[in-house]
C-alpha cells in the first residue's frame, strides 16, 4: 500500500493525467514536481528552490526548445508553411537540383542565420512532399541535402553554431 502513496508515483500519475487533459506540458511538469516535493514532506519554498537548482544551466535550453516548439506550432496553424511551399514551387519550376539546393541553404541558415537547428524540418518538408512526388525526387537526395546543410556549417562557417569550433 505504501507504493500507492509514493510521492514519485503520485507525481507521475498526476503528470500523465494533466497531459491527457491537454494542460501545457511545462505547467504539468512544474505542478507534478511541486506536488511530489510537498507529498514528501518538504515545504513549498524548499521544493521551488530544489526545482530551480535542479534545472541549473539547462533551464535556458529547455525554455528555448519550448519556445521553439510554440513557434513551430504557430507557424503550422497559420498556414505560412503552405505559402512558403508555393513560393519555393515557383522558384523550383520542375528542377530537382534547385529544390535540393534550396533545402540545403535553408538547413544551413537553420544553423547560423536563425539558430533553430532541426526544428525547421517538420515545418518545411511536409508541404513540399507533393512537389517532391511530382518531380519523382529520390528521398535519399533530400536526406543528403538536409544532412549537408545541417553539418557543413559546423566546420566551414565561423558564426552561429560554427563559432563553437573556432576557439
Amino acid at each position: 500500500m505504501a507504493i500507492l502513496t509514493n510521492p514519485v508515483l503520485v507525481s507521475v500519475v498526476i503528470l500523465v493525467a494533466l497531459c491527457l487533459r491537454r494542460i501545457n506540458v511545462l505547467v504539468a511538469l512544474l505542478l507534478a514536481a511541486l506536488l511530489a516535493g510537498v507529498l514528501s514532506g518538504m515545504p513549498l519554498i524548499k521544493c521551488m528552490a530544489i526545482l530551480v537548482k535542479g534545472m541549473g544551466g539547462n533551464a535556458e535550453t529547455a525554455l528555448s526548445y519550448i519556445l521553439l516548439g510554440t513557434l513551430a506550432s504557430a507557424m503550422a496553424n497559420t498556414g505560412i508553411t503552405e505559402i512558403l511551399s508555393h513560393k519555393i514551387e515557383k522558384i523550383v519550376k520542375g528542377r530537382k537540383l534547385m529544390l535540393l539546393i534550396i533545402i540545403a541553404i535553408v538547413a544551413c541558415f537553420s544553423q547560423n542565420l536563425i539558430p533553430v537547428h532541426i526544428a525547421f524540418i517538420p515545418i518545411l518538408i511536409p508541404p513540399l512532399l507533393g512537389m517532391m512526388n511530382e518531380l519523382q525526387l529520390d528521398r535519399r537526395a533530400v536526406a543528403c541535402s538536409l544532412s549537408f546543410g545541417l553539418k557543413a556549417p559546423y566546420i566551414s562557417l565561423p558564426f552561429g553554431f560554427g563559432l563553437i569550433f573556432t576557439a
Side-chain angles (χ1 to χ4, degrees), residues 1-14 32 35-40:
M1 192 64 169
I3 195 160
L4 295 177
T5 59
N6 182 323
V8 175
L9 180 65
V10 172
S11 176
V12 170
V13 170
I14 293 297
L35 179 67
V38 170
L39 288 176
S40 68

Side-chain angles (χ1 to χ4, degrees), residues 6-152:
N6 182 323
V8 175
L9 180 65
V10 172
S11 176
V12 170
V13 170
I14 293 297
L15 177 63
V16 170
L18 290 173
C19 288
L20 289 174
R21 299 280 302 151
R22 297 196 176 263
I23 303 294
N24 182 297
V25 174
L26 183 58
V27 173
L29 278 169
L30 290 173
L31 289 173
L34 292 175
L35 179 67
V38 170
L39 288 176
S40 68
M42 285 190 283
L44 189 59
I45 303 287
K46 187 174 180 185
C47 293
M48 285 299 292
I50 291 174
L51 183 64
V52 170
K53 185 179 176 188
M55 288 182 184
N58 298 326
E60 185 179 334
T61 304
L63 184 59
S64 295
Y65 278 111
I66 290 167
L67 293 175
L68 190 59
T70 304
L71 174 66
S73 176
M75 288 178 69
N77 289 332
T78 60
I80 197 165
T81 55
E82 283 77 23
I83 294 169
L84 180 63
S85 111
H86 290 300
K87 296 242 185 231
I88 290 174
E89 193 169 354
K90 287 179 184 176
I91 294 170
V92 170
K93 296 179 186 166
R95 297 174 291 185
K96 294 179 186 181
L97 186 58
M98 179 61 77
L99 180 59
L100 295 173
I101 290 170
I102 289 172
I103 289 172
I105 289 170
V106 170
C108 181
F109 283 167
S110 78
Q111 303 298 307
N112 296 296
L113 186 63
I114 306 166
V116 295
H117 197 49
I118 61 170
F120 77 96
I121 294 173
I123 296 169
L124 178 68
I125 300 301
L128 295 176
L129 289 175
M131 183 183 359
M132 290 178 195
N133 288 339
E134 288 175 19
L135 293 172
Q136 295 180 339
L137 186 62
D138 190 349
R139 299 298 193 263
R140 293 173 291 188
V142 175
C144 288
S145 183
L146 282 170
S147 297
F148 172 80
L150 289 170
K151 294 299 175 189

